[in-house]
Amino acid sequence: MTFAYVGCRTSAWRGARGKGIEVYQVLPDGEWRLIQCVESVQENPSWLTLDPLRDRLYALHGDGDVVAVWKRNQESGLLSLLTQQTTGPRHAHPDLDPQRRNNPVGAALTPDGQYLLIANHEAGNIAALAIDQQGLQPPHSLARLPGHSAMQEAPESLSRPHEIVFAPGSDLFAVPIQGRAAGNGIDMIRLYRWHQGEARLLDEIRLAPGSWPRHVDFHPSGKWLYGLSELSSTLTVLEVDAQRGALRLKQTLSALPEGYLTRSDASEIEVHPSGRFVYAANRGHDSIGVFAVDVQAGTLSVINWVDCGGKTPRFTTLSPDGRRFFSANEESDTIEVFDVDEQTGLLRRRGQTIVTASPTCLCFASAT
């Protein structure tokens, strides 16, 4: 038995329609059956991270400053609230939007399972929260992300992290960072090593100003890192030297078809478990770009673009076996399900649409 957990936006400020975290039972024939909807402790439970060691679900509250800890019943899949914790102090920069507070947008468990790392977008830091029996301790450390040097009398600069992704079987992790105007930030992708309870910066690659790196994903081999930038709608291929802890830019290409000139903001990137394909979601073009991976060089070439089956694909993911692809289409209130052609990488709609309000994140867990 498999369970699916769907995060969403709920706030009127975001024009959202979601009510809370939804829990689905995924039947052997692929049908989804809604079994629970838990109202969030605060607005916008928009990013979910599963903790399989403790049967927990961590929910980040976008535009807020709280992470909620939910206990997951292994047999039924149902959730019960355990506790909640702050994601850290707000940044004092006067140009920041007060409605977004810390705006935690992404999280990841450390390889030892002892810490939850949180990307506080509006606070400009990566917070490390130790995990204990009661839930989460207050932030243990804050890896701050400065922007361009400011004048001495100006407020402290900051850049905005948007995700945290560990390399397969490694203590290395990558962070795409946005250089938004407020805070005089820098567009870059950074490589860190998690060591003795601290995030140690190893290298960074700066990208074009105004590109807004949003999400990244590692190749299963760990040799390459693929990034997707939001405003420029570009894919970036980086070579990873794990021994030296270094990144090297290899390729930049568009996530959109040639000649497409209408506004579109890139959102999510996925590397297929086979390592042969990369998928990039486009909000505006409302498509999933399918790209082939050169198995020798790691570079990408276009295969095709597939309609996402809705509007504004904010989040996408693959099933663990790589046979199915899911697009959470935020503005059409749907999750569209695709079959993956394992030979060509192309996506084929199954004719299966899950209706759920303002979906923003999706993760799976198996029953005992």
Side-chain angles (χ1 to χ4, degrees):
M1 182 69 67
T2 300
F3 300 100
Y5 299 86
V6 179
C8 67
R9 279 178 171 162
T10 64
S11 67
W13 179 67
R14 288 283 190 174
R17 298 157 298 283
K19 301 301 181 185
I21 302 169
E22 292 186 339
V23 184
Y24 292 83
Q25 187 182 65
V26 183
L27 303 179
D29 62 1
E31 178 189 354
W32 286 36
R33 180 179 297 165
L34 180 64
I35 58 174
Q36 187 184 26
C37 179
V38 292
E39 293 187 6
S40 52
V41 295
Q42 288 194 10
E43 293 179 325
N44 303 323
S46 51
W47 183 271
L48 307 179
T49 302
L50 279 166
D51 184 347
L53 292 177
R54 301 170 181 84
D55 291 313
R56 291 180 183 175
L57 182 76
Y58 304 107
L60 301 184
H61 290 272
D63 299 329
D65 49 18
V66 163
V67 51
V69 184
W70 295 86
K71 183 67 177 176
R72 192 183 76 87
N73 184 291
Q74 281 191 343
E75 295 183 359
S76 69
L78 300 178
L79 301 175
S80 56
L81 183 63
L82 186 61
T83 187
Q84 56 184 307
Q85 184 59 266
T86 177
T87 66
R90 301 181 190 183
H91 200 285
H93 198 291
D95 293 341
L96 298 178
D97 188 338
Q99 294 188 88
R100 294 192 177 191
R101 289 174 283 178
N102 279 359
N103 192 21
V105 294
L109 291 164
T110 57
D112 60 10
Q114 300 306 305
Y115 288 87
L116 182 72
L117 304 187
I118 296 176
N120 283 315
H121 188 258
E122 203 76 0
N125 65 56
I126 301 163
L129 284 70
I131 302 170
D132 60 22
Q133 291 185 343
Q134 286 70 43
L136 292 166
Q137 296 178 17
H140 162 79
S141 65
L142 297 171
R144 301 185 186 279
L145 306 175
H148 294 284
S149 297
M151 301 294 290
Q152 187 172 0
E153 66 273 12
E156 180 187 356
S157 63
L158 77 153
S159 302
R160 292 167 170 78
H162 209 289
E163 193 180 30
I164 299 165
V165 178
F166 276 88
S170 173
D171 56 3
L172 297 178
F173 68 92
V175 181
I177 299 165
Q178 298 185 337
R180 301 199 180 198
N184 203 16
I186 302 168
D187 290 286
M188 56 186 166
I189 296 176
R190 280 187 164 186
L191 185 68
Y192 289 85
R193 186 183 303 280
W194 181 252
H195 182 70
Q196 295 183 349
E198 299 289 339
R200 296 187 176 181
L201 177 62
L202 301 176
D203 199 6
E204 69 180 36
I205 295 290
R206 296 195 177 188
L207 301 182
S211 57
W212 289 15
R214 179 179 174 89
H215 280 181
V216 294
D217 202 9
F218 281 93
H219 190 270
S221 68
K223 295 190 297 184
W224 304 300
L225 177 67
Y226 300 93
L228 186 63
S229 292
E230 184 171 346
L231 290 193
S232 63
S233 292
T234 51
L235 287 154
T236 302
V237 182
L238 301 175
E239 186 174 66
V240 181
D241 186 328
Q243 185 172 2
R244 292 177 50 239
L247 299 173
R248 182 172 72 89
L249 180 62
K250 293 200 69 174
Q251 183 189 22
T252 302
L253 71 162
S254 179
L256 295 167
E258 185 176 356
Y260 182 83
L261 301 177
T262 306
R263 169 72 182 266
S264 187
D265 295 340
S267 57
E268 185 64 272
I269 187 167
E270 307 287 342
V271 180
H272 192 271
S274 69
R276 297 175 56 203
F277 312 109
V278 168
Y279 301 93
N282 299 297
R283 299 170 294 175
H285 191 244
D286 289 341
S287 68
I288 310 298
V290 185
F291 300 83
V293 177
D294 184 306
V295 296
Q296 298 299 322
T299 51
L300 301 177
S301 58
V302 174
I303 296 177
N304 209 336
W305 283 266
V306 177
D307 190 300
C308 73
K311 186 178 181 182
T312 316
R314 187 170 187 263
F315 178 87
T316 63
T317 193
L318 286 151
S319 60
D321 60 8
R323 297 174 61 186
R324 289 181 184 170
F325 184 94
F326 303 87
S327 179
N329 301 320
E330 182 179 11
E331 294 302 320
S332 57
D333 297 332
T334 58
I335 297 172
E336 193 69 25
V337 186
F338 298 81
D339 286 323
V340 180
D341 187 312
E342 297 182 33
Q343 299 303 313
T344 66
L346 286 173
L347 306 177
R348 292 193 301 267
R349 289 170 68 176
R350 290 179 55 85
Q352 179 185 6
T353 302
I354 293 92
V355 177
T356 177
S358 305
T360 60
C361 190
L362 168 64
C363 56
F364 296 96
S366 297
T368 53

